[in-house]
Amino acid sequence: MLVHKHLIIRAEVESPPVEQEQVVEWLEDTVDAIGMKICSGPYAEYVDMPGNEGVTGVVIIETSHIAMHVWDCQEPPLMQLDVYTCGPFDPATIVDRIQEFSPLKVEYKYLDREFGLEEIEL
């Protein structure tokens, strides 16, 4: 059964991942934690463009994708996370998983996208 759920997180963090390997491992572990299956990836690259420094990682899962973008040179470091899936998952698991980055502030939107863009409370 398709469910079309989309979790968007913006988090200011104290300990951002700065290495590609950190993001790849985090994505692998996160896919496992939400009971999904990897189709391709994870892939991660560090971008050193002035003003846009940070690591970006993506993984294609059987039911869609997870993407993480981190800007580690700004104060405080910023993490943007996007989890879209057509299969059921517990969004609280994702919120728990970002605790390892010592979040200072976390904002999120959880959307049901099946028939529109309806916001869902966690």
Side-chain angles (χ1 to χ4, degrees):
M1 178 170 117
L2 299 180
V3 294
H4 301 282
K5 301 296 190 240
H6 194 166
L7 178 64
I8 302 165
I9 295 177
R10 180 189 186 279
E12 296 172 2
V13 298
E14 282 187 304
S15 303
V18 296
E19 301 291 331
Q20 294 167 210
E21 297 78 21
Q22 284 178 282
V23 171
V24 165
E25 183 177 312
W26 189 88
L27 289 168
E28 287 173 343
D29 292 346
T30 299
V31 171
D32 186 54
I34 62 173
M36 299 291 172
K37 179 181 172 190
I38 293 174
C39 290
S40 188
Y43 308 100
E45 289 294 329
Y46 191 90
V47 174
D48 59 5
M49 184 177 101
N52 194 40
E53 298 92 350
V55 65
T56 293
V58 296
V59 61
I60 299 168
I61 56 177
E62 193 171 56
T63 55
S64 198
H65 73 273
I66 301 174
M68 173 191 280
H69 308 280
V70 178
W71 291 266
D72 61 359
C73 291
Q74 71 179 53
E75 276 303 317
L78 177 64
M79 172 186 295
Q80 301 271 12
L81 185 62
D82 184 74
V83 180
Y84 180 79
T85 177
C86 299
F89 75 101
D90 182 359
T93 301
I94 304 294
V95 174
D96 289 344
R97 299 260 321 121
I98 65 171
Q99 296 307 305
E100 72 181 78
F101 304 119
S102 303
L104 302 166
K105 179 181 179 182
V106 177
E107 298 174 282
Y108 64 85
K109 297 284 183 185
Y110 185 43
L111 304 172
D112 181 337
R113 293 178 49 176
E114 188 164 358
F115 299 109
L117 294 175
E118 180 181 330
E119 192 168 344
I120 305 167
E121 292 295 321
L122 285 185

